[in-house]
């Protein structure tokens, strides 16, 4: 029997009292603007772009961004597969899946013969959005894969059969630069880097960039940086404004125009087990991820 979820009342659809949660115009404090073009509808699906959402620093919004970007892309008619590649299983839990109760997860797909990807994929409550779930079992894979031939390509082999079924595959990576994250980068076409607007997060990007260069040199020469997403931005504080400005100065056009602000709505969606685009569809947070989806499609 599933563990009952705590009750969270669905928010009313007006947020005048909510801290600004959209992208940030030049004055670093305005409302959200959808300037990226409206994506054209698709007449067919696939082959998938594989995007790894990665940062070795924890608590920067990787899982939140993966869930809500995936849901926003699905709103625009894209078929999306979310891959929970973190043993904590936060992506699965954030979509209402009781990860600890699952019989088959991405771990079984990687490590057990005879397990097919269709045995593991689960539908979510969002049309066009599917999930490849994970739980703590995945932590054993990092140890077991060490002795495998072609260990860095294990995830790529596992998801290859469904590439023609989806338009975008988003991989939520664990907050480390271990073998699981290397697997994600080895099979990805692009990497999206969520970066909290905090000084220590900015310092950590150099280590991630070094890892990306090594993966490009040794495993995946076609890997590209899709963009850097500024998260946990608070326009009321000088510190976050300065960090965001430094990020823009350092990385230029790699920085997405969409900016994700701090808001109470994101913890609420985790408890509710659904994306912000369905939990609070007219909130600034939902608008920010829709803008991000437009930018991802346009790039």
């Amino acid at each position: 029997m599933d563990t009952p979820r705590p009750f969270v009342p669905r928010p009313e659809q007006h947020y005048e009292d909510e801290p600004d949660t959209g992208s940030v115009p030049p004055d670093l404090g305005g409302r959200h603007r959808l300037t990226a073009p409206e994506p054209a509808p698709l007449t067919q699906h696939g082959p998938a772009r594989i995007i790894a959402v990665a940062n070795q620093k924890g608590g920067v919004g990787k899982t939140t961004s993966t869930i809500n970007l995936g849901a926003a892309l699905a709103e625009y008619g894209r078929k999306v597969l979310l891959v929970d590649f973190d043993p904590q299983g936060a992506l699965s839990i954030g979509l209402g899946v009781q990860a600890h109760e699952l019989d088959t997860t991405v771990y079984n797909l990687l490590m057990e013969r005879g397990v097919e990807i269709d045995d593991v994929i689960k539908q979510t409550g969002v049309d066009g959005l599917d999930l490849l779930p994970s739980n703590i079992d995945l932590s054993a894979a990092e140890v077991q894969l060490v002795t495998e031939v072609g260990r860095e390509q294990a995830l790529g082999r596992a998801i290859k059969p469904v590439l023609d079924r989806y338009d975008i595959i988003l991989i939520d990576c664990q907050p480390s630069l271990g073998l699981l994250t290397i697997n994600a980068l080895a099979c990805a076409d692009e990497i999206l880097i969520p970066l909290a607007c905090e000084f220590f997060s900015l310092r950590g990007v150099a280590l991630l960039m070094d890892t990306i260069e090594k993966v490009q040199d040794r495993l995946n020469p076609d890997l590209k940086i899709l963009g850097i997403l500024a998260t946990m931005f608070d326009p009321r504080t000088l510190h976050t404004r300065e960090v965001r400005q430094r990020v823009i100065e350092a990385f230029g056009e790699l920085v997405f125009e969409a900016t994700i602000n701090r808001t109470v709505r994101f913890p609420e969606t985790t408890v509710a087990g659904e994306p912000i685009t369905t939990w609070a569809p007219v909130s600034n947070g939902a608008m920010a991820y829709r803008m991000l989806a437009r930018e991802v499609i346009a790039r």
Side-chain angles (χ1 to χ4, degrees):
M1 181 179 297
D2 288 348
T3 304
R5 287 183 165 271
F7 173 71
V8 178
R10 186 171 293 276
E12 296 181 14
Q13 301 307 317
H14 52 84
Y15 303 121
E16 289 81 0
D17 59 340
E18 175 182 298
D20 208 2
T21 317
S23 79
V24 183
D27 65 356
L28 295 177
R31 302 288 288 185
H32 191 70
R33 301 176 305 167
L34 282 171
T35 59
E38 180 83 27
L42 297 178
T43 56
Q44 61 183 19
H45 298 286
R49 291 168 64 186
I50 304 175
I51 301 172
V53 183
N55 190 327
Q56 82 278 5
K57 189 178 187 305
V60 298
K62 290 188 297 295
T63 300
T64 297
S65 295
T66 305
I67 292 173
N68 294 302
L69 172 59
L73 288 166
E75 279 190 0
Y76 287 121
R78 272 55 183 175
K79 293 199 67 175
V80 182
L81 175 65
L82 303 184
V83 179
D84 190 348
F85 216 50
D86 184 347
Q88 298 180 62
L91 179 69
S92 304
I93 295 169
L95 286 167
V97 175
Q98 299 300 314
H100 63 281
E101 298 179 357
L102 295 173
D103 293 325
T104 55
T105 66
V106 68
Y107 167 79
N108 305 93
L109 180 62
L110 293 177
M111 305 308 303
E112 297 178 9
R113 293 180 181 272
V115 177
E116 303 292 338
I117 191 168
D118 286 318
D119 300 331
V120 185
I121 288 177
K122 292 186 174 296
Q123 293 183 330
T124 70
V126 179
D127 289 341
L129 184 68
D130 292 340
L131 169 68
L132 195 60
S134 171
N135 60 22
I136 194 63
D137 292 346
L138 185 59
S139 60
E142 191 144 24
V143 177
Q144 296 171 353
L145 282 172
V146 169
T147 59
E148 295 287 326
V149 176
R151 57 185 178 269
E152 296 91 352
Q153 282 81 28
L155 179 60
R157 292 192 297 269
I159 64 177
K160 185 177 180 180
V162 297
L163 291 182
D164 290 337
R165 191 186 307 175
Y166 295 98
D167 300 307
I168 295 178
I169 296 175
L170 295 174
I171 306 172
D172 183 30
C173 298
Q174 66 178 154
S176 76
L177 297 178
L179 186 53
L180 294 179
T181 299
I182 297 300
N183 257 266
L185 298 181
C187 71
D189 300 304
E190 299 158 299
I191 177 171
L192 188 155
I193 305 171
L195 179 64
C197 290
E198 300 170 352
F199 178 68
F200 289 114
S201 296
L202 185 58
R203 290 186 64 187
V205 172
L207 183 59
L208 178 60
M209 293 297 185
D210 183 58
T211 300
I212 292 171
E213 290 179 4
K214 289 179 180 177
V215 171
Q216 290 170 328
D217 290 340
R218 304 172 188 179
L219 294 171
N220 184 1
D222 297 324
L223 178 64
K224 295 180 175 61
I225 298 175
L226 174 61
I228 295 173
L229 174 65
T231 64
M232 301 184 179
F233 181 80
D234 187 343
R236 298 168 297 183
T237 67
L238 177 62
H239 177 69
T240 59
R241 296 201 304 267
E242 288 180 343
V243 171
R244 184 178 182 273
Q245 188 58 39
R246 284 196 187 187
V247 172
I248 293 172
E249 291 171 358
F251 299 103
E253 293 183 357
L254 277 179
V255 182
F256 289 107
E257 183 177 346
T259 301
I260 312 303
N261 287 19
R262 292 184 184 274
T263 171
V264 298
R265 299 301 170 201
F266 293 124
E268 288 179 1
T269 63
T270 301
V271 177
E274 61 180 283
I276 197 170
T277 53
T278 58
W279 175 253
V282 299
S283 67
N284 286 329
M287 294 293 287
Y289 278 108
R290 291 187 185 107
M291 180 175 183
L292 176 63
R294 290 187 179 193
E295 290 188 82
V296 167
I297 292 170
R299 292 189 184 190

